[in-house]
Amino acid sequence: MAAADKVSYMIGSTEERTTNSMPYYDGIEPSVKNAAKRFYSKSQFAATALCIFGSPTLAFCSVFAIEIASFLMTLVRKGIIKARTYHVIYSFGLFIMFPAMLTTFFGGDHEAGMGTFRALGAAAIAVRLRLGWHLNKHLVWSMSIVMTYYLTLPAVSMGEALGLGPFGVAW
C-alpha cells in the first residue's frame, strides 16, 4: 500500500482517479449516483479483504471487476459505449462476487467459508472506520485485519451455539 501511495504521489493525480472521474449519464439522480459510488467503494473494500483472507479463487475472481473497469473506461473515452453501459457492466462485475461468496459459505469447505467470513468481517470494519470515521487507511486496514482475525472464531462459535449455523451471527 505504501508503494502504491508513493507512485500515486509521484506521477498520479489526487483529483483524477478512476473512481473519482467515472462518467455518469445525464439526468442521473444524485441519490442514485451516491448509492453507486457507495456500492463501488464497499465492493473495493470487500475485494481487498478477499485478497487477504479469502480463498485463492475468490481473490483471483476479484480481479475481473478491476480489469473490466479499465477496459470499459477506455470504451467510454473512445465513444464506443455510453456511461450508463459502463455502470451496468461494472456493477455486474462487482455483484457477481456475492453469489460466489455465498457458494463458498455453503459449499462444504469450512476453511474457505471461514476465510470468506473473515474477509467480509474485515471489509465491514474497514468500511465503517474509513468511510464512516475517515481514519487513515493504513490504520484502518491494520485494525480491520487484527480485529477480524480474533473476533471471527468467537462469532462463529456463538452462532453455532445458538443453533444459527456456522455463520449465523453474521446474518
Side-chain angles (χ1 to χ4, degrees):
M1 201 176 340
D5 288 345
K6 182 71 172 174
V7 170
S8 293
Y9 176 77
M10 292 174 61
I11 63 173
S13 168
T14 57
E15 301 301 319
E16 291 293 321
R17 304 208 178 200
T18 304
T19 53
N20 292 348
S21 64
M22 283 185 205
Y24 287 86
Y25 53 91
D26 294 331
I28 187 171
E29 294 289 327
S31 62
V32 173
K33 185 176 179 180
N34 290 336
K37 286 184 174 188
R38 187 93 173 155
F39 172 67
Y40 297 158
S41 295
K42 287 181 174 183
S43 296
Q44 289 170 358
F45 279 99
T48 302
L50 280 169
C51 289
I52 297 167
F53 288 114
S55 69
T57 302
L58 287 178
F60 183 75
C61 288
S62 297
V63 174
F64 173 73
I66 296 166
E67 294 301 322
I68 197 78
S70 301
F71 177 66
L72 293 170
M73 190 65 92
T74 301
L75 296 178
V76 170
R77 286 189 186 124
K78 292 184 179 214
I80 297 172
I81 65 170
K82 303 276 185 206
R84 183 185 296 256
T85 305
Y86 167 87
H87 288 284
V88 168
I89 296 172
Y90 180 55
S91 295
F92 177 75
L94 294 171
F95 177 78
I96 197 67
M97 290 302 297
F98 293 97
M101 288 185 286
L102 279 176
T103 58
T104 304
F105 272 144
F106 302 113
D109 183 350
H110 188 71
E111 288 301 315
M114 283 293 290
T116 303
F117 186 73
R118 281 190 174 112
L120 292 177
I125 293 168
V127 164
R128 170 56 69 196
L129 296 177
R130 182 76 174 145
L131 300 181
W133 295 352
H134 307 287
L135 296 179
N136 175 284
K137 65 182 170 186
H138 302 283
L139 176 65
V140 164
W141 280 109
S142 298
M143 290 174 61
S144 298
I145 291 167
V146 172
M147 289 173 65
T148 301
Y149 183 80
Y150 288 106
L151 293 176
T152 302
L153 193 55
V156 170
S157 298
M158 190 181 338
E160 289 174 345
L162 294 172
L164 301 173
F167 306 109
V169 173
W171 306 116

